């Protein structure tokens, strides 16, 4: 009788529907933890990386202790990534300021009806700022994977994020489009389906993991193999 009940319970817990409900619950909890810990502003990147690492552990190792695991990852990621996070935050704030400055100058010059050369220059600078912001955001998207799969120093993290973003540009573009579409969907439907904000960070993090795990896993193994080979034969 006990064996039958155990098999019944295992059958329920392993059913596709229960797996879906389990992942919905996990994503909800991780989203809450990620949002709360990111409110410190400089903790944004450590929170996102901790959320990504925890999702990876849940998928690969069926991690059950979500809160404990997330905070362990957050403490580690804070030490490892807070400097990089501040570095990117300063750049994004500067680009945001330049965007508003250039648009205000263009509007002012258009209102006066003079300075065609200056208007052209400010339009060029505005376009450059937008392109640079997109490029840096694409690189920023790679940081959770770079930090999770490899242990690197400050500038090595940034350089590898640039490298991976453009070496695997197809995957990077897919990740960017997924994040963009998810953000657009949240913006459009949140007045009617506010529950969408319960998964605003974890859905794109899970999507990024599913897209990037193959080439990051193989790249990390290749780097580790080359390091061990160099160490053995040196």
């Amino acid at each position: 009788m006990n064996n039958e009940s155990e098999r019944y319970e295992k059958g329920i817990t392993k059913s596709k529907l229960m797996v879906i409900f389990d992942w919905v619950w996990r994503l909800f909890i991780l989203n809450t933890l990620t949002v709360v810990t990111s409110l410190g502003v400089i903790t944004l990147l450590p929170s996102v990386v901790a959320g990504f690492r925890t999702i990876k552990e849940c998928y690969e190792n069926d991690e059950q202790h979500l809160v404990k695991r997330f905070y362990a990852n957050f403490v580690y990621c804070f030490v490892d990534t807070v400097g990089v996070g501040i570095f990117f935050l300063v750049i994004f704030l500067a680009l945001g300021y330049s965007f508003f400055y250039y648009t205000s100058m263009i509007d002012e010059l258009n209102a006066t009806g003079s300075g065609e050369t200056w208007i052209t220059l400010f339009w060029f600078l505005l376009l450059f700022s937008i392109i640079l912001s997109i490029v840096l955001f694409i690189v920023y998207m790679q940081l959770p994977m770079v930090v999770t799969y490899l242990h690197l120093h400050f500038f090595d993290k940034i350089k590898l994020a640039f490298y991976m973003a453009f070496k695997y540009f197809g995957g990077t573009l897919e990740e960017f489009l997924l994040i963009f579409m998810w953000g657009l969907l949240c913006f459009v439907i949140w007045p009617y389906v506010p529950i969408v904000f319960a998964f605003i960070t974890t859905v794109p993090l899970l999507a990024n993991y599913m897209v990037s795990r193959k080439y990051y896993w193989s790249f990390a193994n290749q780097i580790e193999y080359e390091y061990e080979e160099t160490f053995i034969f040196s």
Side-chain angles (χ1 to χ4, degrees):
M1 186 68 178
N2 290 334
N3 291 335
E4 290 182 3
S5 62
E6 287 178 4
R7 285 197 298 269
Y8 178 72
E9 289 176 2
K10 288 181 180 179
I12 292 176
T13 56
K14 291 183 179 181
S15 68
K16 291 183 179 180
L17 187 60
M18 284 302 296
V19 169
I20 292 172
F21 281 133
D22 183 51
W23 266 101
V24 169
W25 174 248
R26 291 182 184 191
L27 293 178
F28 170 72
I29 296 297
L30 289 175
N31 180 77
T32 304
L33 293 171
T34 302
V35 171
V36 170
T37 54
S38 66
L39 295 177
V41 182
I42 64 170
T43 59
L44 176 61
L45 182 59
S47 300
V48 171
V49 178
F52 180 87
R53 287 174 69 98
T54 309
I55 286 174
K56 178 179 180 293
E57 290 164 357
C58 287
Y59 188 88
E60 296 178 2
N61 304 319
D62 197 27
E63 177 63 51
Q64 298 294 327
H65 305 288
L66 288 183
V67 177
K68 181 179 179 181
R69 190 69 249 161
F70 176 86
Y71 277 109
N73 285 331
F74 176 75
V75 171
Y76 171 81
C77 294
F78 182 84
V79 175
D80 195 42
T81 66
V82 66
V84 179
I86 293 173
F87 176 79
F88 273 91
L89 179 63
V90 171
I91 293 176
F92 283 130
L93 287 174
L95 288 170
Y97 174 79
S98 67
F99 175 83
F100 287 107
Y101 175 76
Y102 296 144
T103 52
S104 64
M105 290 301 299
I106 291 170
D107 291 339
E108 184 178 332
L109 290 170
N110 282 328
T112 58
S114 60
E116 289 295 328
T117 303
W118 283 105
I119 291 175
T120 303
L121 175 62
F122 283 127
W123 269 114
F124 173 79
L125 292 173
L126 178 62
L127 181 61
F128 176 78
S129 298
I130 293 172
I131 294 173
L132 183 59
S133 298
I134 294 172
V135 170
L136 289 177
F137 179 73
I138 288 173
V139 173
Y140 189 84
M141 289 187 334
Q142 302 301 311
L143 288 173
M145 287 79 83
V146 168
V147 174
T148 298
Y149 285 94
L150 295 160
H151 303 285
L152 302 169
H153 297 296
F154 183 93
F155 284 110
D156 290 333
K157 292 184 180 71
I158 299 172
K159 288 189 290 185
L160 184 61
F162 268 98
Y163 175 78
M164 296 299 286
F166 294 99
K167 177 178 175 61
Y168 301 99
F169 188 72
T172 301
L173 183 62
E174 187 176 354
E175 294 163 15
F176 178 80
L177 291 176
L178 286 170
I179 292 175
F180 176 78
M181 288 188 294
W182 176 248
L184 183 63
L185 178 66
C186 291
F187 178 78
V188 171
I189 72 171
W190 76 264
Y192 315 102
V193 191
I195 191 66
V196 72
F197 279 105
F199 307 95
I200 193 167
T201 63
T202 46
V203 166
L205 286 177
L206 177 61
N208 274 13
Y209 168 71
M210 299 304 293
V211 171
S212 66
R213 64 193 178 105
K214 289 184 179 180
Y215 57 83
Y216 265 97
W217 183 84
S218 60
F219 181 82
N221 282 346
Q222 179 185 350
I223 294 297
E224 184 178 353
Y225 173 77
E226 290 176 356
Y227 173 79
E228 289 177 353
E229 193 176 51
T230 304
F231 179 78
I232 290 171
F233 292 103
S234 61

